[in-house]
Amino acid sequence: MEPLKQRPAASLIDTGMDGHVHSRLCGHAEGEMEEYVLAALEKGLSGLTFLEHFETGINYFEKTWLDEAEFAYYQEELERLRAKYGDRIYLGVGVETGYNPDYPERIAAFLKSFSWDRVGLSYHYLKLEGGRHVNVVSRKASNTELLSRRGADEVINMYLSGLLEAVTLLDADVVCHLDAAMRHNPEAAFGQSHFDRIRDIFDVMAVKEMALEINTSGYPLRGKPYPGPDILKLAMEMGIRLAPGSDAHQPGDVGRYFARLPDYLAETSDLIQP
C-alpha cells in the first residue's frame, strides 16, 4: 500500500463526504434525519452517511443505541430521504457497531441482518467488576470517576485490546475515534506499549482495507481531531486510508471543521521521515 506521505495533501481525504452522523434515534442526539440532510445540502456536501449506534449485551443505566424496531424505521426513513433528495446528495445508511468481547458472534449476526453502505467499528463500553459497563466516551461523572479509579494505563490497555479483537473478528469499513479512551480522561496518555498495540490494530486494518476515521468532534474539545497527531502520523506511515466524520449529534454539527482537515493532514504528513 502506498504511504500517504507520497500523495498530494489535497488528496489525503475527501472532505465533501461526512461519513458519521447520528439523529434523535440514538437517544442522545437531537433532530430528525431529514434535518441532517438539509444541513448537509446547505453546507454544500456531496454526501452524508448516517452511522446510528448498535450495542448488545451492555449493562448500563441508559440506552444510547437503537433497538431492532428503530433500525427498521431508520432504514425505511433513509429510503424515503433518498427518494426525495437523492438527485442532490449521496445518502448512505450505516451503523456504528460497538464491540462487546462477550458477544462477537451476536454482533456479526446483526451486521448481516441489514444491508449497510458503511459499517463503523467502535468500542464504547468497558466491562467492570460485577458485570457493569462504563462508557469511555461519556463525560458524565458516573463514568469518569469509575475510569479514574481504574487507572488510565489499565483503561487504555483494556480499550486497545478489545479494539484489536474487534478489527480481527468483525468486518467493518472504518474504525471510529480510535483514541476514545482519552476523550474525557486528562490523566490518559499513550506510551510505547500502547503504540505497539495500535500498530497491531493498523496491521489488521491494512490487510482488511479498513479506513481510519478522522473525527472532527475533537476540535471543540481539544482543538484538534481524533485521533491525535502521533496516532495519525503512524496511520499515514502505514498507508491507512482516512475518512472524515463529524460525529454530529445535532444538525448544525454536520461537516463541522472539515475545512481545517487538509492543512492539518498536510502538517502531520510533514512529520513523516522520507
Side-chain angles (χ1 to χ4, degrees):
M1 189 177 297
E2 179 186 21
L4 298 186
K5 171 64 176 175
Q6 297 177 12
R7 293 166 48 189
S11 71
L12 294 177
I13 199 164
D14 177 9
T15 55
M17 163 69 75
D18 190 339
H20 186 164
V21 303
H22 299 282
S23 73
R24 58 96 183 164
L25 291 174
C26 70
H28 60 283
E30 303 173 0
E32 299 293 336
M33 293 172 65
E34 189 162 7
E35 294 179 78
Y36 287 80
V37 175
L38 292 173
L41 286 168
E42 183 178 350
K43 293 186 177 182
L45 295 183
S46 59
L48 184 73
T49 297
F50 290 88
L51 220 61
E52 295 290 13
H53 288 285
F54 170 75
E55 301 282 351
T56 188
I58 299 301
N59 180 9
Y60 191 60
F61 65 88
E62 63 179 346
K63 184 170 82 72
T64 62
W65 54 87
L66 280 65
D67 59 29
E68 187 172 345
E70 289 166 331
F71 268 112
Y73 167 81
Y74 164 50
Q75 296 244 341
E76 292 171 2
E77 177 65 0
L78 198 283
E79 287 305 315
R80 184 186 76 82
L81 294 173
R82 279 174 171 163
K84 186 173 183 180
Y85 300 103
D87 60 337
R88 301 167 60 189
I89 188 171
Y90 167 83
L91 296 176
V93 58
V95 58
E96 182 180 356
T97 183
Y99 187 59
N100 184 337
D102 293 332
Y103 297 104
E105 295 86 0
R106 187 187 295 181
I107 297 170
F110 168 79
L111 293 176
K112 293 178 181 178
S113 66
F114 290 99
S115 177
W116 308 108
D117 297 309
R118 171 173 288 190
V119 174
L121 191 55
S122 61
Y123 188 25
H124 290 117
Y125 293 95
L126 302 183
K127 188 175 182 180
L128 302 182
E129 292 80 4
R132 292 183 304 157
H133 288 85
V134 60
N135 187 346
V136 297
V137 297
S138 170
R139 70 184 75 193
K140 293 181 178 178
S142 57
N143 289 297
T144 58
E145 289 172 5
L146 284 173
L147 291 171
S148 180
R149 267 183 252 150
R150 195 66 181 254
D153 185 68
E154 185 177 354
V155 168
I156 293 174
N157 283 330
M158 290 174 64
Y159 174 77
L160 293 177
S161 294
L163 198 57
L164 178 59
E165 278 187 24
V167 298
T168 302
L169 296 177
L170 299 175
D171 292 326
D173 300 299
V174 59
V175 173
C176 305
H177 40 65
L178 185 143
D179 54 354
M182 294 180 65
R183 190 161 186 168
H184 300 298
N185 188 343
E187 302 170 2
F190 286 137
Q192 185 56 53
S193 64
H194 303 136
F195 275 97
D196 290 342
R197 186 56 55 88
I198 291 170
R199 183 178 289 277
D200 292 339
I201 292 170
F202 286 163
D203 280 336
V204 178
M205 289 172 60
V207 170
K208 300 177 81 168
E209 298 185 345
M210 294 182 188
L212 174 67
E213 178 185 80
I214 307 302
N215 189 304
T216 57
S217 68
Y219 274 109
L221 294 172
R222 64 178 189 178
K224 54 191 174 186
Y226 300 107
D230 290 342
I231 296 173
L232 180 56
K233 174 176 173 287
L234 177 60
M236 296 171 80
E237 287 175 339
M238 298 180 67
I240 301 296
R241 183 166 52 88
L242 306 177
S246 67
D247 208 349
H249 280 66
Q250 55 188 19
D253 290 341
V254 170
R256 55 180 166 175
Y257 304 104
F258 276 20
R260 300 186 185 184
L261 290 180
D263 286 344
Y264 181 77
L265 295 179
E267 292 169 5
T268 304
S269 69
D270 286 343
L271 300 175
I272 299 173
Q273 297 299 317

